[in-house]
Coordinates of all heavy atoms in Angstrom, one line a residue:
M1 N 0.9 -1.2 0.0 CA 0.0 0.0 0.0 C 0.9 1.2 0.0 O 1.7 1.4 0.9 CB -0.9 0.0 1.2 CG -1.7 -1.3 1.3 SD -2.8 -1.3 2.8 CE -4.1 -0.2 2.2
G2 N 0.7 2.1 -1.0 CA 1.6 3.3 -1.2 C 1.5 4.2 0.0 O 2.5 5.0 0.2
Q3 N 0.4 4.2 0.8 CA 0.3 5.2 1.9 C 0.6 4.5 3.2 O 0.5 5.2 4.3 CB -1.2 5.7 1.9 CG -1.5 6.4 0.6 CD -2.9 7.1 0.7 OE1 -3.1 8.0 1.5 NE2 -3.8 6.7 -0.1
K4 N 1.1 3.3 3.2 CA 1.5 2.6 4.4 C 2.9 2.0 4.2 O 3.2 1.7 3.0 CB 0.5 1.6 4.9 CG -0.9 2.2 5.2 CD -1.8 1.1 5.8 CE -3.2 1.7 6.0 NZ -3.2 2.7 7.1
Q5 N 3.7 1.8 5.2 CA 5.0 1.2 5.0 C 5.2 0.0 5.9 O 4.7 0.0 7.1 CB 6.1 2.2 5.1 CG 6.3 2.7 6.6 CD 7.6 3.5 6.6 OE1 7.9 4.3 5.8 NE2 8.4 3.3 7.7
Q6 N 6.0 -0.9 5.5 CA 6.4 -2.0 6.3 C 7.9 -1.9 6.7 O 8.4 -2.7 7.6 CB 6.2 -3.3 5.5 CG 7.0 -3.4 4.2 CD 6.9 -4.8 3.5 OE1 6.9 -5.8 4.2 NE2 6.7 -4.7 2.2
L7 N 8.6 -1.0 6.1 CA 10.0 -0.8 6.5 C 10.2 -0.4 8.0 O 9.4 0.5 8.4 CB 10.7 0.2 5.6 CG 10.8 -0.1 4.1 CD1 11.4 1.0 3.3 CD2 11.5 -1.4 3.8
L8 N 11.2 -0.9 8.6 CA 11.5 -0.5 10.0 C 12.1 0.9 9.9 O 13.2 1.1 9.3 CB 12.4 -1.4 10.7 CG 11.9 -2.9 10.7 CD1 13.0 -3.8 11.2 CD2 10.7 -2.9 11.7
W9 N 11.5 1.9 10.5 CA 11.8 3.3 10.3 C 13.2 3.7 10.6 O 13.8 4.5 9.8 CB 10.8 4.2 11.1 CG 10.9 5.7 10.9 CD1 11.2 6.6 11.7 CD2 10.6 6.3 9.6 NE1 11.1 7.9 11.1 CE2 10.7 7.7 9.8 CE3 10.2 5.9 8.3 CZ2 10.5 8.7 8.8 CZ3 10.0 6.8 7.4 CH2 10.2 8.2 7.6
D10 N 13.8 3.3 11.7 CA 15.1 3.7 12.1 C 16.2 2.8 11.6 O 17.4 3.0 11.9 CB 15.2 3.9 13.6 CG 14.4 5.0 14.1 OD1 14.5 6.1 13.5 OD2 13.6 4.8 15.0
L11 N 15.9 1.7 10.9 CA 16.8 0.7 10.4 C 16.9 0.7 8.9 O 16.0 1.1 8.2 CB 16.5 -0.7 10.9 CG 16.5 -0.9 12.5 CD1 16.0 -2.3 12.8 CD2 17.8 -0.6 13.1
P12 N 18.1 0.3 8.4 CA 18.2 0.2 6.9 C 17.2 -0.9 6.4 O 16.8 -1.8 7.0 CB 19.6 -0.3 6.7 CG 20.3 0.0 8.0 CD 19.3 -0.1 9.1
P13 N 16.7 -0.7 5.1 CA 15.8 -1.6 4.5 C 16.3 -3.1 4.5 O 15.5 -4.0 4.6 CB 15.6 -1.1 3.1 CG 15.8 0.4 3.2 CD 16.9 0.5 4.3
L14 N 17.6 -3.2 4.5 CA 18.2 -4.6 4.5 C 17.7 -5.4 5.7 O 17.6 -6.6 5.7 CB 19.7 -4.5 4.4 CG 20.4 -5.9 4.1 CD1 19.9 -6.6 2.9 CD2 21.9 -5.6 4.0
E15 N 17.6 -4.7 6.8 CA 17.1 -5.3 8.1 C 15.7 -5.8 7.9 O 15.4 -6.9 8.4 CB 17.2 -4.4 9.2 CG 18.6 -3.8 9.6 CD 19.5 -4.9 10.2 OE1 18.9 -5.9 10.6 OE2 20.7 -4.7 10.1
T16 N 14.8 -5.1 7.3 CA 13.5 -5.5 7.0 C 13.4 -6.7 6.1 O 12.7 -7.7 6.3 CB 12.6 -4.4 6.4 OG1 12.6 -3.2 7.3 CG2 11.2 -4.8 6.2
L17 N 14.3 -6.7 5.1 CA 14.4 -7.8 4.1 C 14.8 -9.1 4.9 O 14.3 -10.2 4.6 CB 15.3 -7.5 3.0 CG 14.6 -6.9 1.7 CD1 14.2 -5.4 2.1 CD2 15.5 -6.9 0.5
E18 N 15.8 -8.9 5.7 CA 16.3 -10.1 6.5 C 15.2 -10.6 7.4 O 15.0 -11.8 7.6 CB 17.5 -9.7 7.4 CG 18.8 -9.5 6.6 CD 19.4 -10.9 6.3 OE1 18.8 -11.9 6.6 OE2 20.5 -10.8 5.6
L19 N 14.4 -9.7 8.0 CA 13.3 -10.1 8.9 C 12.2 -10.9 8.1 O 11.8 -11.9 8.5 CB 12.6 -8.9 9.5 CG 11.4 -9.1 10.4 CD1 11.7 -10.0 11.6 CD2 10.8 -7.8 10.9
N20 N 11.9 -10.3 6.9 CA 10.9 -11.0 6.0 C 11.5 -12.4 5.5 O 10.7 -13.3 5.4 CB 10.6 -10.2 4.8 CG 9.7 -9.0 5.1 OD1 9.3 -8.8 6.3 ND2 9.3 -8.2 4.2
R21 N 12.8 -12.5 5.3 CA 13.4 -13.8 5.0 C 13.1 -14.8 6.0 O 12.7 -15.9 5.8 CB 14.9 -13.6 4.8 CG 15.6 -14.9 4.3 CD 17.1 -14.9 4.6 NE 17.3 -14.9 6.1 CZ 17.2 -16.0 6.8 NH1 16.9 -17.2 6.3 NH2 17.5 -15.9 8.1
A22 N 13.3 -14.4 7.3 CA 13.0 -15.3 8.4 C 11.6 -15.7 8.5 O 11.2 -16.8 8.8 CB 13.6 -14.7 9.7
I23 N 10.7 -14.6 8.4 CA 9.2 -14.9 8.5 C 8.7 -15.8 7.5 O 8.0 -16.8 7.8 CB 8.5 -13.5 8.4 CG1 8.8 -12.7 9.7 CG2 7.0 -13.8 8.3 CD1 8.2 -11.3 9.6
Y24 N 9.2 -15.7 6.2 CA 8.7 -16.5 5.1 C 9.6 -17.7 4.9 O 9.4 -18.5 4.0 CB 8.7 -15.7 3.8 CG 7.6 -14.6 3.8 CD1 7.8 -13.3 4.0 CD2 6.2 -15.0 3.6 CE1 6.8 -12.3 4.0 CE2 5.2 -14.1 3.6 CZ 5.5 -12.8 3.8 OH 4.5 -11.8 3.8
E25 N 10.6 -17.9 5.8 CA 11.4 -19.1 5.8 C 12.1 -19.3 4.4 O 12.1 -20.4 3.9 CB 10.6 -20.4 6.2 CG 10.0 -20.3 7.5 CD 9.1 -21.5 7.9 OE1 8.6 -22.2 6.9 OE2 8.9 -21.8 9.1
V26 N 12.6 -18.3 3.9 CA 13.4 -18.3 2.7 C 14.8 -18.7 3.0 O 15.5 -18.1 3.9 CB 13.4 -16.9 2.0 CG1 14.2 -17.0 0.7 CG2 12.0 -16.5 1.7
Q27 N 15.3 -19.7 2.3 CA 16.7 -20.2 2.6 C 17.7 -19.1 2.2 O 17.5 -18.4 1.2 CB 17.0 -21.5 1.8 CG 16.1 -22.7 2.2 CD 16.3 -23.1 3.6 OE1 17.4 -23.2 4.1 NE2 15.2 -23.3 4.4
K28 N 18.8 -19.0 2.9 CA 19.7 -18.0 2.7 C 20.3 -17.9 1.3 O 20.5 -16.8 0.7 CB 20.9 -18.1 3.8 CG 20.4 -17.6 5.2 CD 21.6 -17.5 6.1 CE 21.1 -16.9 7.5 NZ 22.2 -16.8 8.4
P29 N 20.7 -19.1 0.7 CA 21.2 -19.0 -0.7 C 20.2 -18.4 -1.6 O 20.5 -17.6 -2.5 CB 21.5 -20.4 -1.0 CG 21.8 -21.1 0.3 CD 20.8 -20.4 1.3

């Protein structure tokens, strides 16, 4: 949603991507 965000405000987007990787159980490779 363009008017809402899921990024962690004070952290780099890479941290949010890493969090989503863990939530969705995406293998590291």
Side-chain angles (χ1 to χ4, degrees):
M1 307 179 74
Q3 302 187 63
K4 298 183 182 295
Q5 71 169 41
Q6 61 176 316
L7 298 177
L8 301 171
W9 187 242
D10 291 312
L11 297 177
L14 189 56
E15 298 289 342
T16 301
L17 270 70
E18 285 282 2
L19 177 63
N20 286 1
R21 182 200 67 77
I23 291 173
Y24 289 103
E25 299 178 336
V26 179
Q27 297 297 317
K28 286 190 176 182

